[in-house]
Amino acid sequence: MSVSKEEYSNMAKRFSPSSPIISDCLKAFCIGGLICVLAELLTFFFSKTNMNEDEVKALVLVVIIALTALLTGLGIFDSLAKHAGAGTAVPITGFANSIVSPAMEFHTEGFVLGTAANMFKLAGPVIVFGCGSAVLYGLILWIFNTFRG
């Protein structure tokens, strides 16, 4: 049985649930905003200590990542992400979740071949392309600054 692209498209539209775009965007905005508010509150709290600005920024990131990892381990973060969508996927919380989730999923296969081998399946491309883009940008910047005279 051969199905044309148009027939397939019609079947997909008929059987796919409609997505409430406005509601999804509002949830992503609100939950993502709450994550940012939490980060700002942590920044305010940590800045009241004797740490400098760089130390405060680093500590806020560590706390947010650790909290996300803990909530992922408890199964809470995935429930939240189901409703928030990009509101939890775009900030650093999405990155932390993409590291912890495969580690939990494959832990039964052993530490090396399970957890360690599968931990960066989702985050690996982000790291590779992020570092590659940074190197390329730095190279372009160096070339322009060198030959600008």
Side-chain angles (χ1 to χ4, degrees), residues 26-110:
L26 284 172
K27 287 181 199 175
F29 178 79
C30 290
I31 294 175
L34 287 173
I35 293 170
C36 294
V37 166
L38 173 64
E40 286 297 321
L41 288 172
L42 289 171
T43 302
F44 176 76
F45 174 74
F46 293 140
S47 66
K48 297 297 180 190
T49 64
N50 290 333
M51 291 184 274
N52 65 36
E53 186 177 344
D54 290 336
E55 292 171 332
V56 168
K57 290 176 185 178
L59 188 56
V60 168
L61 289 176
V62 167
V63 169
I64 294 290
I65 289 169
L67 186 59
T68 301
L70 176 67
L71 292 176
T72 298
L74 295 173
I76 297 169
F77 191 83
D78 291 335
S79 299
L80 181 65
K82 185 172 84 173
H83 296 288
T88 57
V90 174
I92 197 153
T93 54
F95 182 75
N97 179 262
S98 72
I99 299 281
V100 175
S101 292
M104 289 175 43
E105 182 178 345
F106 294 104
H107 81 280
T108 57
E109 296 177 21

Side-chain angles (χ1 to χ4, degrees), residues 19-29 82-87:
S19 176
I21 294 173
I22 301 292
S23 172
D24 289 349
C25 288
L26 284 172
K27 287 181 199 175
F29 178 79
K82 185 172 84 173
H83 296 288

Side-chain angles (χ1 to χ4, degrees), residues 114-133:
T115 302
N118 293 295
M119 192 168 175
F120 291 100
K121 277 191 172 179
L122 292 174
V126 174
I127 295 169
V128 169
F129 287 109
C131 292
S133 299

